[in-house]
Amino acid sequence: MKRLLLLCAAGTLHAHDAPTPGGQTPPERILAEESLGRTSRDDGAWPTWDHATGSWFGARDTLLSHGVDFFGGLSAEAWGNPTGGMRPGATANVLFNFGVEVDLETLAGWQGATLHNSWFAPLGRDLSAQNVGNHFTVSNAVAYNSLYLYELWFQQVVGPLSLRVGQLAADAEFAGSDHGALFLNAAFGWPPFLSGNLPNVGPAFPKGTPGARLAVAPTSWLTLQSAIYQGNPYEDTANRTGTRWHLGGDNGWLWLNEVQLRWSPEGRPGQLKLGGWHHTGRFADLADATRTHSGNYGFYGVIDQTLWRPDPEAEAGLGWFARAGGSPGNHNLFAFYADTGLTWRGLFASRADDTLGLAVACGCLSSGAKQASESSRPARSEVAVELTYQCQLTPWMTLQPDVQWIIQPGASKEYANALVVGLRAAVVF
């Protein structure tokens, strides 16, 4: 499986298939690359190369043969809301990513060991914050303009066990949907039942936090994984590099647990994830500023299913995903969140690698969030509907037009429903 972890972790478009995050497959396959067999073909015309920058005159292949994989990419976007929201307007933004992954078994003979380091550099403006006023950010590639350490970890695999320690990002391994990764609205990535209820969205794009993750896969169809993270990654403006580490104390700890079940009847793979989380910190009561709550928790489920394939051996076909999660109490923004959608890869015979997608997300505010709303016409929920088409122009470049309909932006009837249109171009270096 070809891999571009950074672009996938942020939900950004990529020119290869989405990798399966560590912990979702048997640990002996976690981070499995085509290391020794993979090449960086650039012997034909530029549009047929595997990467936009080619093989670096053979240096890339030499590094890969020694277990060293330098990777990087760029996505550029333009967004606008011609009607609805707080005010009509348009924005543009860019997201750079880069990093290195080292297979220590190939490089130094250390069996089952891997080092990984990755960074994000967002640049631009957020249409949701500036113009639409909605909770579900229309682009999953926007953040405060800075350079962030996303992940820096060491992983050791021994038989069915995998241990990962260092700076970790929970959105790379928990609560994600393979089919949902196509969509550009941030709600379909790191879900609002986590991002809306954890301090500063939790350990997720654009920065992780110190932590440890243990995964065990006793069989090919079952994986159990558990992770603990620094409880507060701090606001982007207060942690502009992603290296503000402060374990315990007032930050508390975030504990995530997930069980994953897989199946593939007649070449139609599916996966079910059931998870729960607990945070040990203190949380302010949204309805009563004089009160705080000790701890916080929630539960969720995710399902991915390939519904139909014209050929069981091909990747084209119709897929479906659904997620739902909730948290109790007045100290959470969302009491319940759910999303679902369909993806169709290879809708047109002449465009076998293109993917069409339609999805809807709905977040219901908690009673405390409704009472604390500053809107003159509060609503109970916000809904986002997204229609998108990912066009594979070359092995290293995609173009993705996108349309979103935001219903009750900010869970309020104060602003008109917003029509959002966008275009993303992504390049793998």
Side-chain angles (χ1 to χ4, degrees):
M1 180 189 297
K2 296 183 178 178
R3 172 184 183 86
L4 187 61
L5 174 62
L6 278 154
L7 290 177
C8 293
T12 315
L13 272 182
H14 49 91
H16 298 302
D17 298 331
T20 305
Q24 289 190 205
T25 57
E28 65 269 18
R29 292 175 52 202
I30 291 177
L31 298 178
E33 302 286 354
E34 298 168 63
S35 325
L36 300 178
R38 185 174 57 180
T39 60
S40 308
R41 186 171 57 87
D42 62 359
D43 54 349
W46 187 36
T48 68
W49 291 6
D50 289 338
H51 303 83
T53 57
S55 67
W56 308 336
F57 302 101
R60 190 196 293 268
D61 289 339
T62 299
L63 288 167
L64 287 172
S65 70
H66 289 83
V68 180
D69 182 9
F70 286 98
F71 54 86
L74 163 71
S75 67
E77 303 176 334
W79 292 96
N81 62 312
T83 181
M86 296 186 296
R87 65 186 68 86
T91 64
N93 54 276
V94 175
L95 178 67
F96 297 91
N97 76 90
F98 58 92
V100 60
E101 188 164 284
V102 182
D103 179 352
L104 293 176
E105 183 172 354
T106 302
L107 181 66
W110 187 344
Q111 188 172 359
T114 305
L115 282 174
H116 178 93
N117 178 220
S118 52
W119 298 78
F120 279 122
L123 178 64
R125 296 173 59 243
D126 181 2
L127 185 76
S128 286
Q130 301 291 329
N131 299 89
V132 183
N134 60 325
H135 289 299
F136 302 159
T137 307
V138 299
S139 170
N140 53 24
V142 297
Y144 188 82
N145 298 340
S146 187
L147 175 63
Y148 298 96
L149 172 62
Y150 181 59
E151 290 193 305
L152 175 60
W153 48 254
F154 168 80
Q155 178 172 270
Q156 179 66 59
V157 175
V158 180
L161 295 174
S162 166
L163 176 64
R164 183 178 293 185
V165 294
Q167 170 120 336
L168 307 180
D171 59 344
E173 299 193 276
F174 287 87
S177 162
D178 293 342
H179 291 294
L182 170 72
F183 299 92
L184 305 189
N185 189 295
F188 298 109
W190 184 232
F193 56 72
L194 287 164
S195 65
N197 297 340
L198 292 173
N200 297 304
V201 312
F205 172 82
K207 56 189 182 296
T209 63
R213 188 272 289 143
L214 178 66
V216 57
T219 71
S220 62
W221 53 266
L222 173 65
T223 298
L224 307 171
Q225 63 178 19
S226 180
I228 189 168
Y229 306 88
Q230 173 181 305
N232 187 352
Y234 300 101
E235 294 182 5
D236 290 352
T237 53
N239 187 8
R240 299 187 182 190
T241 61
T243 57
R244 186 176 177 182
W245 300 328
H246 183 67
L247 302 177
D250 294 337
N251 287 325
W253 297 90
L254 171 64
W255 185 27
L256 271 165
N257 298 278
E258 192 173 272
V259 56
Q260 303 163 355
L261 303 171
R262 291 171 294 276
W263 55 86
S264 185
E266 299 179 353
R268 299 191 303 274
Q271 182 171 239
L272 172 67
K273 304 178 187 178
L274 298 174
W277 61 272
H278 174 69
H279 197 293
T280 65
R282 297 201 68 85
F283 289 76
D285 191 292
L286 299 180
D288 183 354
T290 65
R291 295 183 57 199
T292 61
H293 299 262
S294 178
N296 201 359
Y297 67 94
F299 301 95
Y300 64 87
V302 182
I303 186 167
D304 276 288
Q305 179 62 57
T306 299
L307 301 177
W308 171 81
R309 278 181 171 174
D311 180 355
E313 302 299 322
E315 296 185 4
L318 181 65
W320 168 71
F321 76 94
R323 299 186 300 178
S327 299
N330 288 339
H331 48 293
N332 289 301
L333 176 61
F334 292 105
F336 179 77
Y337 168 86
D339 60 30
T340 187
L342 295 168
T343 63
W344 193 329
R345 180 169 180 174
L347 175 62
F348 305 107
S350 60
R351 304 292 310 173
D353 293 327
D354 291 1
T355 307
L356 173 70
L358 176 65
V360 58
C362 177
C364 300
L365 297 187
S366 70
S367 58
K370 286 182 284 187
Q371 293 179 51
S373 175
E374 298 179 355
S375 172
S376 60
R377 301 177 60 202
R380 298 182 59 183
S381 62
E382 175 178 299
V383 176
V385 181
E386 180 174 353
L387 176 66
T388 194
Y389 187 83
Q390 183 189 78
C391 180
Q392 191 80 49
L393 298 180
T394 73
W396 46 264
M397 183 176 184
T398 56
L399 195 66
Q400 186 165 356
D402 191 86
V403 179
Q404 299 179 29
W405 182 243
I406 310 299
I407 303 171
Q408 298 178 163
S412 170
K413 299 177 182 178
E414 185 175 351
Y415 306 124
N417 296 341
L419 174 66
V420 175
V421 293
L423 179 67
R424 173 181 290 177
V427 174
V428 177
F429 295 146

